[in-house]
């Protein structure tokens, strides 16, 4: 496995359960000793420069716990004391929507509140790099989107974010670049759009016409791979600017298309294609 993360980007590590995502970042954080190879984070070796690295890297672990009676504000103040130049912990508490529950005990928090607290604890040290492992697991859809916006704000402040996730929508929304790993190996890397284009190059257009369409009209058009007709419904699969191609042919023959739907592949489809998860894999 080999990859580089650029300064100031949100870099995703994506893969199926058990692919090695958490193991990888635990090696980068200095929490797990790798079997071999070379690691550098901010020019430091996590195996020998752990103390210096912890001053500059914030970590939100996949699973974390605090004492049940510890208050939210108390936890942030305590964690801030671990660093030489921390962020103002009250500001961090406010940024992550925790001010109203600052006096609440950890054991009384909801799952979403606990998740936001752990992210805040990862950022209270004013890190240059933040590693967020399964960022929004357990959050409801609205809380998930709010968290995404906050992570983008963290990046906009100059913090490099390494995001470990198995949520395709999250990776597609947040990541500037990502690597897809499977069974401990990098199988693809690039921007989300590049991975989709590489793995699933075809687009699909479906539409209805007033009369059954002669498939031969579209079969030879540039980029058209397949034309399927079922009564008044036609489905065209192809590459490139398929919508423009199809519409140009139809207009040229005086045919009006109704209920036109363009179905573009997303990271879900690329994930299945690149990992083989859709071919009977457990």
């Amino acid at each position: 496995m080999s990859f580089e993360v650029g300064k100031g980007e949100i870099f995703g590590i994506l893969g199926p359960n058990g692919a090695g995502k958490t193991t990888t970042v635990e090696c980068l954080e200095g929490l797990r000793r790798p079997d071999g190879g070379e690691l550098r984070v901010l020019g430091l070796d996590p195996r020998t420069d752990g103390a210096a690295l912890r001053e500059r890297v914030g970590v939100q672990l996949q699973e974390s716990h605090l004492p049940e009676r510890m208050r939210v504000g108390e936890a942030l103040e305590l964690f801030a004391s671990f660093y030489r130049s921390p962020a103002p912990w009250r500001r961090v508490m406010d940024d992550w929507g925790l001010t109203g529950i600052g006096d609440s005990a950890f054991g009384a928090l909801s799952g979403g509140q606990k998740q936001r607290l752990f992210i805040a604890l990862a950022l209270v040290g004013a890190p240059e790099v933040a590693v967020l492992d399964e960022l929004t697991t357990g959050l409801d859809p609205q809380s998930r989107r709010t968290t995404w916006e906050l992570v983008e704000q963290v990046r906009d402040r100059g913090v490099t974010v390494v995001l470990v996730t198995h949520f395709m929508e999250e990776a597609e929304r947040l990541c500037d670049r990502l690597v897809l790993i499977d069974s401990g190996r990098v199988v693809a890397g690039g921007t989300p759009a590049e991975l989709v284009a590489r793995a699933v190059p075809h687009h699909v257009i479906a539409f209805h016409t007033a009369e059954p369409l002669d498939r031969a009209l579209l079969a030879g058009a540039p980029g058209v791979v397949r034309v399927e007709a079922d009564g008044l419904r036609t489905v065209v699969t192809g590459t490139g600017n398929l919508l423009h191609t199809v519409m140009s042919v139809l207009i040229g023959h005086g045919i009006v298309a109704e209920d036109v739907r363009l179905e573009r592949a997303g990271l879900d489809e690329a994930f299945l294609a690149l990992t083989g998860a859709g071919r009977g894999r457990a």
Side-chain angles (χ1 to χ4, degrees):
M1 181 183 297
S2 179
F3 60 85
E4 293 185 1
V5 180
K7 182 178 180 180
E9 70 177 347
I10 299 178
F11 185 89
I13 299 178
L14 184 67
N17 292 332
K21 304 185 297 297
T22 294
T23 299
T24 299
V25 294
E26 285 181 349
C27 290
L28 294 174
E29 296 157 358
L31 298 178
R32 182 189 295 264
R33 192 168 186 86
D35 298 322
E38 182 177 337
L39 303 174
R40 290 292 183 274
V41 181
L42 297 169
L44 301 174
D45 187 336
R47 292 167 290 192
T48 58
D49 304 316
L53 192 62
R54 282 189 287 274
E55 280 287 330
R56 303 171 66 185
V57 175
V59 176
Q60 175 244 328
L61 300 171
Q62 190 176 58
E63 293 186 18
S64 301
H65 297 280
L66 290 173
E68 293 288 296
R69 294 185 180 181
M70 179 173 279
R71 298 188 303 273
V72 170
E74 183 182 10
L76 281 161
E77 185 177 15
L78 174 64
F79 273 60
S81 71
F82 299 156
Y83 300 92
R84 295 189 184 93
S85 302
W89 64 267
R90 287 186 176 84
R91 189 198 73 194
V92 175
M93 185 165 65
D94 187 55
D95 285 346
W96 287 90
L98 299 169
T99 301
I101 56 171
D103 291 328
S104 299
F106 175 76
L109 302 181
S110 68
Q113 290 170 333
K114 289 179 179 179
Q115 188 76 330
R116 291 204 307 275
L117 173 58
F118 287 128
I119 298 169
L121 293 175
L123 298 173
V124 75
E128 296 170 55
V129 176
V131 181
L132 307 176
D133 193 349
E134 301 295 357
L135 173 70
T136 58
T137 297
L139 298 187
D140 61 76
Q142 182 57 49
S143 297
R144 182 173 294 136
R145 280 161 176 74
T146 300
T147 301
W148 292 348
E149 292 171 1
L150 289 168
V151 170
E152 289 171 331
Q153 292 174 24
V154 170
R155 186 266 313 277
D156 292 343
R157 293 174 186 165
V159 179
T160 300
V161 178
V162 177
L163 177 67
V164 179
T165 184
H166 63 268
F167 288 123
M168 303 301 128
E169 184 183 4
E170 183 166 277
E172 205 158 11
R173 159 71 185 270
L174 289 178
C175 296
D176 300 302
R177 292 189 306 120
L178 57 87
V179 288
L180 176 59
I181 68 174
D182 193 21
S183 302
R185 297 181 181 275
V186 173
V187 296
T191 67
E194 288 170 346
L195 263 62
V196 171
R198 187 182 315 161
V200 193
H202 293 163
H203 306 309
V204 176
I205 294 174
F207 57 89
H208 288 81
T209 52
E211 300 289 340
L213 184 70
D214 181 0
R215 289 183 296 174
L217 291 177
L218 292 168
V224 173
V225 174
R226 183 171 63 253
V227 181
E228 300 170 277
D230 181 11
L232 303 180
R233 185 174 186 268
T234 302
V235 178
V236 183
T237 302
T239 60
N241 195 344
L242 187 63
L243 181 61
H244 175 76
T245 297
V246 171
M247 291 300 104
S248 296
V249 171
L250 296 180
I251 292 170
H253 288 82
I255 300 171
V256 176
E258 298 178 345
D259 302 325
V260 179
R261 296 185 60 185
L262 176 60
E263 302 172 4
R264 294 186 179 276
L267 207 50
D268 278 317
E269 290 82 358
F271 174 84
L272 293 173
L274 291 167
T275 64
R279 297 191 293 271
R281 171 180 172 157

